[in-house]
Amino acid sequence: MNAPLHHLHKVELQTRDYKDEITPFWCPGCGHHGVLTGVFKALADLGVDPTYLVNISGIGCSSRLPYFVRSYRMHTLHGRAGPVATGAHLARPELPILITGGDGDAFSIGGGHMPHLARKNPNLTYVMMDNHIFGLTKGQVSPTSRSKMKAYTTPYGGTEEPLDPILYMLSYGASFVAQSNATNVKMTASLIKQGMEHRGFAFINVLSNCPSFNDIDDAKYFKSVCEEVPAEHDVSDRDAAMHIVNRAAQDGKIPVGLLYKVERPTLDERMAALVSHVGGHKNYDLRKIIDLARP
Ligand code: SF4
Ligand code: MG
């Protein structure tokens, strides 16, 4: 398997060098501040060149994260970060691409795209900030909200069961699946770093509290339920990863750490192989193909 190509542009920078001049405008105490610090640390540890970094988001409080990171960024449509990032990956497979967004954006509006990211295996790193609520629109239940949760549009309690993003991604075959807690910046940074080093689709769910609209799943609660994945866990064993999540849930716990990692061909590698198979050249230029369609 090839080494990540973006390491060709390795630079030596400090975490502060990745900060954009726009100061984060999230609420005080929002977990996303911790995730952003983790992103900065991962980028500095990897030596990612900001002039090659792509940061793509959908819509939501957490989808504002690219504003705060020196990068080429796209704040796209609600739920559509995945397809846009897939296009960027196919056009420029050598670039490091980071998707950052929330639980509502990913699994409600963008829910139709998540299984396809997992199965297609584009070389992307998806950092989901999971606060179990829609924050930007001021507090509605999301696909990860706990059962019967009372919120702005569910004053008598929600009527749906939550989905588990980790079990979901394991089921659909994502090649790298991990979970962290926003207050654990060290672990979050380490998992983002490992996810970006991984060639393939890396999904990292970060429990990130919303003190403004979810005072049930607060920072104290998330910290109390997190338990680290056992050191002896074989990360290539998908059944074992699922078992860890299910076993923890029986005790009201949430596993954090690397749960699954496997290497398999990425989307761009399969496309290049296909182009080669039908007689094309692996360095085909998409712009030339588009030009052919111009009047
Ligand atoms: Fe963070 Fe919630 Fe404020 Fe949005 S509303 S910035 S998620 S605390
Ligand atoms: Mg949310």
Side-chain angles (χ1 to χ4, degrees), residues 103-104 131 133-134:
D103 44 302
N131 53 17
I133 196 83
F134 279 94

Side-chain angles (χ1 to χ4, degrees), residues 204-221:
I204 301 150
N205 191 47
V206 188
L207 304 165
S208 181
N209 64 302
C210 169
S212 296
F213 298 107
N214 186 352
D215 56 8
I216 302 170
D217 304 320
D218 59 10
K220 199 171 159 192
Y221 162 75

Side-chain angles (χ1 to χ4, degrees), residues 62 102-104 129-135 142:
S62 47
D103 44 302
M129 285 154 266
D130 187 4
N131 53 17
H132 300 183
I133 196 83
F134 279 94
S142 86

Side-chain angles (χ1 to χ4, degrees), residues 25-32 61-62 64 131 135-136 209-213:
F25 40 81
W26 292 311
C27 305
C30 176
H32 304 345
C61 288
S62 47
R64 288 165 159 168
N131 53 17
L136 186 68
N209 64 302
C210 169
S212 296
F213 298 107

